[in-house]
PDB file of all heavy atoms in Angstrom:
ATOM      1  N   THR A 176      28.606 -38.140 -15.026  1.00 91.00           N
ATOM      2  CA  THR A 176      28.646 -39.250 -15.984  1.00 91.00           C
ATOM      3  C   THR A 176      29.113 -38.807 -17.368  1.00 91.00           C
ATOM      4  O   THR A 176      29.215 -39.628 -18.278  1.00 91.00           O
ATOM      5  CB  THR A 176      27.257 -39.903 -16.130  1.00 91.00           C
ATOM      6  OG1 THR A 176      26.332 -38.956 -16.683  1.00 91.00           O
ATOM      7  CG2 THR A 176      26.733 -40.385 -14.783  1.00 91.00           C
ATOM      8  N   ALA A 177      29.421 -37.523 -17.530  1.00 89.00           N
ATOM      9  CA  ALA A 177      29.704 -36.974 -18.864  1.00 89.00           C
ATOM     10  C   ALA A 177      30.970 -37.542 -19.501  1.00 89.00           C
ATOM     11  O   ALA A 177      31.064 -37.636 -20.726  1.00 89.00           O
ATOM     12  CB  ALA A 177      29.802 -35.452 -18.789  1.00 89.00           C
ATOM     13  N   ALA A 178      31.958 -37.931 -18.697  1.00 88.00           N
ATOM     14  CA  ALA A 178      33.234 -38.413 -19.243  1.00 88.00           C
ATOM     15  C   ALA A 178      33.236 -39.920 -19.476  1.00 88.00           C
ATOM     16  O   ALA A 178      34.246 -40.480 -19.911  1.00 88.00           O
ATOM     17  CB  ALA A 178      34.379 -38.032 -18.311  1.00 88.00           C
ATOM     18  N   LEU A 179      32.111 -40.590 -19.226  1.00 90.00           N
ATOM     19  CA  LEU A 179      32.040 -42.044 -19.343  1.00 90.00           C
ATOM     20  C   LEU A 179      31.381 -42.452 -20.662  1.00 90.00           C
ATOM     21  O   LEU A 179      30.613 -41.690 -21.249  1.00 90.00           O
ATOM     22  CB  LEU A 179      31.240 -42.618 -18.168  1.00 90.00           C
ATOM     23  CG  LEU A 179      31.672 -42.175 -16.767  1.00 90.00           C
ATOM     24  CD1 LEU A 179      30.728 -42.751 -15.721  1.00 90.00           C
ATOM     25  CD2 LEU A 179      33.116 -42.601 -16.487  1.00 90.00           C
ATOM     26  N   ASP A 180      31.676 -43.675 -21.112  1.00 90.00           N
ATOM     27  CA  ASP A 180      31.009 -44.166 -22.315  1.00 90.00           C
ATOM     28  C   ASP A 180      29.532 -44.371 -21.996  1.00 90.00           C
ATOM     29  O   ASP A 180      29.149 -44.496 -20.821  1.00 90.00           O
ATOM     30  CB  ASP A 180      31.653 -45.472 -22.795  1.00 90.00           C
ATOM     31  CG  ASP A 180      31.468 -46.613 -21.806  1.00 90.00           C
ATOM     32  OD1 ASP A 180      30.395 -47.236 -21.815  1.00 90.00           O
ATOM     33  OD2 ASP A 180      32.394 -46.859 -21.008  1.00 90.00           O
ATOM     34  N   PRO A 181      28.652 -44.384 -23.013  1.00 89.00           N
ATOM     35  CA  PRO A 181      27.205 -44.422 -22.764  1.00 89.00           C
ATOM     36  C   PRO A 181      26.735 -45.538 -21.846  1.00 89.00           C
ATOM     37  O   PRO A 181      25.909 -45.307 -20.951  1.00 89.00           O
ATOM     38  CB  PRO A 181      26.624 -44.583 -24.178  1.00 89.00           C
ATOM     39  CG  PRO A 181      27.632 -43.919 -25.061  1.00 89.00           C
ATOM     40  CD  PRO A 181      28.963 -44.236 -24.441  1.00 89.00           C
ATOM     41  N   ALA A 182      27.243 -46.761 -22.042  1.00 91.00           N
ATOM     42  CA  ALA A 182      26.803 -47.881 -21.215  1.00 91.00           C
ATOM     43  C   ALA A 182      27.219 -47.697 -19.757  1.00 91.00           C
ATOM     44  O   ALA A 182      26.428 -47.928 -18.834  1.00 91.00           O
ATOM     45  CB  ALA A 182      27.361 -49.195 -21.757  1.00 91.00           C
ATOM     46  N   THR A 183      28.455 -47.260 -19.553  1.00 91.00           N
ATOM     47  CA  THR A 183      28.954 -47.039 -18.189  1.00 91.00           C
ATOM     48  C   THR A 183      28.239 -45.864 -17.539  1.00 91.00           C
ATOM     49  O   THR A 183      27.909 -45.903 -16.348  1.00 91.00           O
ATOM     50  CB  THR A 183      30.471 -46.785 -18.205  1.00 91.00           C
ATOM     51  OG1 THR A 183      31.128 -47.880 -18.849  1.00 91.00           O
ATOM     52  CG2 THR A 183      31.009 -46.648 -16.789  1.00 91.00           C
ATOM     53  N   ALA A 184      28.000 -44.820 -18.330  1.00 90.00           N
ATOM     54  CA  ALA A 184      27.286 -43.648 -17.819  1.00 90.00           C
ATOM     55  C   ALA A 184      25.895 -44.040 -17.325  1.00 90.00           C
ATOM     56  O   ALA A 184      25.454 -43.584 -16.258  1.00 90.00           O
ATOM     57  CB  ALA A 184      27.179 -42.578 -18.902  1.00 90.00           C
ATOM     58  N   GLN A 185      25.219 -44.891 -18.073  1.00 91.00           N
ATOM     59  CA  GLN A 185      23.887 -45.336 -17.675  1.00 91.00           C
ATOM     60  C   GLN A 185      23.959 -46.157 -16.394  1.00 91.00           C
ATOM     61  O   GLN A 185      23.102 -46.025 -15.509  1.00 91.00           O
ATOM     62  CB  GLN A 185      23.254 -46.163 -18.791  1.00 91.00           C
ATOM     63  CG  GLN A 185      21.811 -46.577 -18.523  1.00 91.00           C
ATOM     64  CD  GLN A 185      20.885 -45.401 -18.339  1.00 91.00           C
ATOM     65  OE1 GLN A 185      21.046 -44.357 -18.981  1.00 91.00           O
ATOM     66  NE2 GLN A 185      19.905 -45.549 -17.442  1.00 91.00           N
ATOM     67  N   LYS A 186      24.990 -46.990 -16.270  1.00 92.00           N
ATOM     68  CA  LYS A 186      25.167 -47.808 -15.072  1.00 92.00           C
ATOM     69  C   LYS A 186      25.387 -46.926 -13.843  1.00 92.00           C
ATOM     70  O   LYS A 186      24.752 -47.127 -12.796  1.00 92.00           O
ATOM     71  CB  LYS A 186      26.374 -48.742 -15.260  1.00 92.00           C
ATOM     72  CG  LYS A 186      26.765 -49.543 -14.030  1.00 92.00           C
ATOM     73  CD  LYS A 186      25.738 -50.592 -13.671  1.00 92.00           C
ATOM     74  CE  LYS A 186      26.229 -51.480 -12.545  1.00 92.00           C
ATOM     75  NZ  LYS A 186      25.218 -52.477 -12.132  1.00 92.00           N
ATOM     76  N   VAL A 187      26.275 -45.936 -13.977  1.00 92.00           N
ATOM     77  CA  VAL A 187      26.556 -45.034 -12.852  1.00 92.00           C
ATOM     78  C   VAL A 187      25.321 -44.207 -12.511  1.00 92.00           C
ATOM     79  O   VAL A 187      25.041 -43.937 -11.337  1.00 92.00           O
ATOM     80  CB  VAL A 187      27.760 -44.125 -13.181  1.00 92.00           C
ATOM     81  CG1 VAL A 187      27.938 -43.052 -12.115  1.00 92.00           C
ATOM     82  CG2 VAL A 187      29.040 -44.958 -13.299  1.00 92.00           C
ATOM     83  N   LEU A 188      24.559 -43.810 -13.523  1.00 93.00           N
ATOM     84  CA  LEU A 188      23.337 -43.043 -13.274  1.00 93.00           C
ATOM     85  C   LEU A 188      22.310 -43.873 -12.512  1.00 93.00           C
ATOM     86  O   LEU A 188      21.642 -43.365 -11.598  1.00 93.00           O
ATOM     87  CB  LEU A 188      22.748 -42.556 -14.599  1.00 93.00           C
ATOM     88  CG  LEU A 188      21.547 -41.603 -14.498  1.00 93.00           C
ATOM     89  CD1 LEU A 188      21.908 -40.357 -13.694  1.00 93.00           C
ATOM     90  CD2 LEU A 188      21.058 -41.220 -15.895  1.00 93.00           C
ATOM     91  N   GLU A 189      22.187 -45.151 -12.867  1.00 93.00           N
ATOM     92  CA  GLU A 189      21.258 -46.021 -12.147  1.00 93.00           C
ATOM     93  C   GLU A 189      21.693 -46.199 -10.691  1.00 93.00           C
ATOM     94  O   GLU A 189      20.865 -46.191  -9.778  1.00 93.00           O
ATOM     95  CB  GLU A 189      21.173 -47.384 -12.836  1.00 93.00           C
ATOM     96  CG  GLU A 189      20.463 -47.361 -14.185  1.00 93.00           C
ATOM     97  CD  GLU A 189      19.050 -46.825 -14.103  1.00 93.00           C
ATOM     98  OE1 GLU A 189      18.344 -47.157 -13.118  1.00 93.00           O
ATOM     99  OE2 GLU A 189      18.648 -46.057 -14.995  1.00 93.00           O
ATOM    100  N   ASN A 208      22.162 -33.791 -20.811  1.00 89.00           N
ATOM    101  CA  ASN A 208      21.225 -34.687 -21.463  1.00 89.00           C
ATOM    102  C   ASN A 208      19.803 -34.288 -21.070  1.00 89.00           C
ATOM    103  O   ASN A 208      19.367 -34.514 -19.943  1.00 89.00           O
ATOM    104  CB  ASN A 208      21.510 -36.134 -21.050  1.00 89.00           C
ATOM    105  CG  ASN A 208      20.704 -37.132 -21.849  1.00 89.00           C
ATOM    106  OD1 ASN A 208      19.496 -37.022 -21.945  1.00 89.00           O
ATOM    107  ND2 ASN A 208      21.392 -38.108 -22.422  1.00 89.00           N
ATOM    108  N   SER A 211      17.521 -37.130 -19.800  1.00 89.00           N
ATOM    109  CA  SER A 211      17.837 -37.521 -18.421  1.00 89.00           C
ATOM    110  C   SER A 211      17.346 -36.480 -17.427  1.00 89.00           C
ATOM    111  O   SER A 211      16.862 -36.823 -16.336  1.00 89.00           O
ATOM    112  CB  SER A 211      19.354 -37.718 -18.260  1.00 89.00           C
ATOM    113  OG  SER A 211      19.794 -38.859 -18.948  1.00 89.00           O
ATOM    114  N   SER A 264      22.790 -35.115 -27.170  1.00 50.00           N
ATOM    115  CA  SER A 264      22.850 -36.146 -26.121  1.00 50.00           C
ATOM    116  C   SER A 264      21.729 -37.155 -26.328  1.00 50.00           C
ATOM    117  O   SER A 264      20.612 -36.774 -26.633  1.00 50.00           O
ATOM    118  CB  SER A 264      22.729 -35.514 -24.738  1.00 50.00           C
ATOM    119  OG  SER A 264      23.857 -34.743 -24.425  1.00 50.00           O
TER     120      SER A 264
END
Side-chain angles (χ1 to χ4, degrees):
T176 64
L179 309 176
D180 65 82
T183 304
Q185 185 60 35
K186 174 69 173 177
V187 172
L188 187 58
E189 290 302 320
N208 188 308
S211 290
S264 292

